[in-house]
Amino acid sequence: MSITIDVENLTKSFGTFTAVDNVSLHVDEGEVFGFLGPNGAGKTTTVRMLACLISKTSGRATVGGYEIGNSSDQSKIRAMIGLLPENVGLYEELSAYDNLDFYGRYYKLSIQKRREQIEYFLKMLGLWDKRDDAAGTFSKGMKQKLAIARALIHDPKLLFLDEPTASLDPEASKTVRDFILELKKEKRTIFLNTHLLDEAERICDQVAILKTKLIATGSPEDLRHSLSNRKVRVQLELVDDAVTGAVKTLGFQIAEKTNNSLVIIVNNPEKENPEILKEIQTAGGRIQFVTEVGSSLEDVYLKLVRGTE
Amino acid sequence: MNLQNAWAVAAKDFKIYRKKINVIRASIAYPLIVAVLFPFILNYSIHKETPAVAATLAPSLMDSFSIWFLIGSVIIPTAITSYSLVGEKLQKSLEPLLATPMTDGDILLGKTISGLVIPVAAIYIGSIIFMALMDHFTQGVLGYLYYPNWHMGAILLVVPLASLMSVEVNIIISARVTDARSAQQLGALLMFPFIGLYLAADLKIFPFTNTNLLILAGALALIDLAFFFVSKATFQREEILTRWK
């Protein structure tokens, strides 16, 4: 079975308030899909709809070929997915082992399978030595890791991770991020809710930006390229009028100028850079090096999100 | 509803209660006090030099005392049920649980079992101690063993039905409050109708005869059924995730 997500015009309203408006997206099998958006954008509501926790108001969505909202498909979807909610929701009085063991029972795993899975994930996440300690005594990072292990206990091929590194310190964030990258190598499909753009850029194959409505979707690289100007920085021994004149003569705009560097806005650097460099050299400029000035996903995100306000 | 799933939910709650010894203490204190205190009071009253109570009145007093188990059956589940549900709300542990393949009915049944088993078991054990002590203290003056008898049997039939009503009402209350103490206080209000019944029995308006206790059992069974539908309507994952505060 192909573990994909297909969403068409999905909408969720609470009374007169629309939390998610006409969202359409597709997540391929084995892909890490980043769902970006500010707080209150509807990310958690979308995940809850896809995980069959709340109903949709309209639209259509299938998860692993099963349709959300179809009562006979709901338990099949829930059996197939793993969910890490925004609030980890561990049983604080119970040990790490028992937290996982009860979830193994909820998914009807045999005792033997539960033992194997618990040992595997607790060792993988560095919690095996703490298996008998109450979850309530764990640090935030440890709790987050335990909650991820809980979401994986039944070996789901599709994971919904809602803000997995939010409120973690940088070291714990990195551990969790590295673990997500390990899961990616195992070809699991991961739907990642985050407002951390750096995280999305590092982990995700595809991203979608949501602010009640879907604003943009694509790979982080495509979004960067399609939604912001590309720039090149040309480092020279000296920038003089002849050099700047040469660039302008070609019709390119200079975004930034210092004594020894120019940042030039280009549309197609692969094609236009040789032409620019040739003209600079002809004008007497002595080029030291050329680099692309990358727009970050953050630039694109802010541009898009602010654009909708 | 799947009993195996429901039992898994209840087993998790039982394991948590083992760590929360105060919840267990709250459940066993009441039946233990009733089981021990009343027999000793009766013993003192009928055996002192100038008896305060004639031995012939002992059976009616024992019947009257035993009604306290009935009152306890609605009070005791409030502690456990409210802790179970409000505790999950506070720890935000319901969302991952609701994301498993379990149905709302499985979870509700699990919560009902975990709210019911300890109080009913505590009352049954308390009633056995009560009957043994009462027989021990009264056999000499009555010339026979008063317990076991049909009256206590009828009371012990009503106990799980009354406890079930208490659990269901507490599930409904727990959906609306954010701390276990408020849930317990509101849930404990359920004892007043039963105290009313106790007074009605003393005033001979509704004496606790075996027939009347069976009528009460029937009425409670109907009330339980009605509350089951209300608690089921309250305990729906969308309701829990979006409205439970």
Side-chain angles (χ1 to χ4, degrees), chain B residues 178-238:
Chain B
T178 49
D179 70 294
R181 195 161 294 173
S182 309
Q184 284 161 16
Q185 285 165 352
L186 288 168
L189 295 177
L190 257 188
M191 74 176 164
F192 287 110
F194 282 81
I195 288 175
L197 279 175
Y198 183 74
L199 293 174
D202 264 8
L203 297 169
K204 310 289 182 209
I205 299 167
F206 185 80
F208 281 128
T209 60
N210 293 351
T211 311
N212 281 350
L213 281 168
L214 290 176
I215 291 169
L216 182 62
L220 281 172
L222 290 175
I223 293 169
D224 285 344
L225 194 65
F227 277 137
F228 171 75
F229 287 109
V230 178
S231 59
K232 201 161 184 289
T234 308
F235 201 89
Q236 288 187 350
R237 59 196 69 210
E238 180 146 6

Side-chain angles (χ1 to χ4, degrees), chain A:
Chain A
M1 182 195 299
S2 172
I3 309 296
T4 58
I5 301 173
D6 276 298
V7 177
E8 284 172 38
N9 305 318
L10 194 63
T11 298
K12 177 68 186 177
S13 301
F14 298 99
T16 55
F17 171 71
T18 301
V20 176
D21 190 5
N22 247 347
V23 166
S24 299
L25 53 87
H26 173 81
V27 182
D28 269 328
E29 185 168 8
E31 188 172 86
V32 180
F33 188 88
F35 210 39
L36 306 174
N39 292 335
K43 304 189 296 290
T44 299
T45 303
T46 305
V47 163
R48 284 177 170 178
M49 282 192 281
L50 295 176
C52 299
L53 289 171
I54 59 174
S55 61
K56 62 187 166 73
T57 303
S58 63
R60 187 176 171 273
T62 58
V63 175
Y66 296 110
E67 188 154 353
I68 69 161
N70 180 334
S71 54
S72 63
D73 284 357
Q74 301 220 12
S75 62
K76 288 172 191 156
I77 291 174
R78 286 202 292 263
M80 174 201 298
I81 63 165
L83 171 72
L84 172 73
E86 196 173 354
N87 294 299
V88 291
L90 296 166
Y91 299 123
E92 305 252 319
E93 300 86 355
L94 298 184
S95 67
Y97 192 98
D98 283 341
N99 264 281
L100 300 186
D101 191 49
F102 278 111
Y103 270 83
R105 286 177 68 173
Y106 298 161
Y107 286 101
K108 297 189 187 301
L109 304 184
S110 67
I111 294 175
Q112 183 59 30
K113 182 75 178 167
R114 295 202 306 264
R115 278 190 196 138
E116 286 168 11
Q117 289 288 90
I118 292 169
E119 186 173 347
Y120 174 75
F121 285 115
L122 288 184
K123 280 185 174 169
M124 194 176 190
L125 288 160
L127 294 173
W128 180 244
D129 292 340
K130 301 271 184 190
R131 64 188 177 278
D132 295 324
D133 292 1
T137 64
F138 283 12
S139 68
K140 268 187 182 173
M142 288 159 79
K143 283 181 181 175
Q144 198 76 351
K145 287 196 274 185
L146 183 58
I148 292 176
R150 182 187 61 194
L152 288 162
I153 193 73
H154 56 300
D155 209 15
K157 296 293 171 223
L158 171 59
L159 272 172
F160 288 102
L161 306 176
D162 196 355
E163 306 280 5
T165 59
S167 75
L168 294 185
D169 63 50
E171 195 182 342
S173 294
K174 188 179 180 312
T175 312
V176 170
R177 235 181 352 253
D178 289 346
F179 187 64
I180 296 170
L181 288 169
E182 286 299 313
L183 297 174
K184 183 178 175 178
K185 281 184 201 161
E186 293 173 8
K187 300 286 176 202
R188 295 181 202 260
T189 308
I190 300 173
F191 193 99
L192 176 74
N193 267 8
T194 183
H195 61 260
L196 301 175
L197 303 162
D198 178 48
E199 182 171 281
E201 202 156 14
R202 280 195 236 178
I203 299 177
C204 300
D205 302 306
Q206 296 287 318
V207 293
I209 300 175
L210 181 78
K211 197 177 172 195
T212 306
K213 291 171 186 264
L214 205 62
I215 305 172
T217 181
S219 71
E221 198 181 344
D222 286 348
L223 282 184
R224 277 200 317 266
H225 289 169
S226 63
L227 293 161
S228 67
N229 294 319
R230 296 178 76 178
K231 296 169 192 161
V232 284
R233 179 184 299 278
V234 183
Q235 187 78 22
L236 297 137
E237 225 172 60
L238 180 73
V239 174
D240 57 21
D241 290 345
V243 169
T244 53
V247 174
K248 285 177 183 168
T249 310
L250 288 172
F252 292 104
Q253 203 184 332
I254 296 171
E256 194 185 311
K257 180 185 159 190
T258 66
N259 280 344
N260 55 2
S261 78
L262 288 175
V263 175
I264 305 163
I265 297 171
V266 290
N267 292 320
N268 184 351
E270 291 80 7
K271 193 177 159 199
E272 292 161 349
N273 279 359
E275 195 184 342
I276 294 168
L277 300 182
K278 188 180 165 197
E279 201 60 32
I280 289 173
Q281 281 181 318
T282 308
R286 291 173 65 86
I287 298 166
Q288 293 174 327
F289 57 85
V290 182
T291 52
E292 182 168 11
V293 180
S295 301
S296 68
L297 188 58
E298 187 172 68
D299 297 331
V300 176
Y301 173 86
L302 291 173
K303 188 175 168 184
L304 287 169
V305 169
R306 284 176 183 162
T308 62
E309 283 170 358

Side-chain angles (χ1 to χ4, degrees), chain B residues 76-148:
Chain B
I76 301 167
T78 60
I80 282 195
T81 314
S82 53
Y83 177 78
S84 161
L85 278 168
V86 177
E88 296 246 21
K89 272 166 93 171
L90 291 174
Q91 293 190 353
K92 302 192 186 299
S93 50
L94 278 170
E95 185 168 359
L97 174 62
L98 294 168
T100 66
M102 293 220 202
T103 64
D104 298 345
D106 295 339
I107 299 169
L108 183 62
L109 184 59
K111 290 289 171 193
T112 306
I113 292 170
S114 75
L116 207 57
V117 168
I118 293 172
V120 172
I123 288 175
Y124 277 14
I125 291 166
S127 69
I128 291 167
I129 297 169
F130 176 85
M131 287 189 283
L133 286 175
M134 283 299 193
D135 276 346
H136 175 71
F137 292 140
T138 60
Q139 190 186 6
V141 291
L142 293 177
Y144 63 94
L145 291 174
Y146 188 68
Y147 289 115

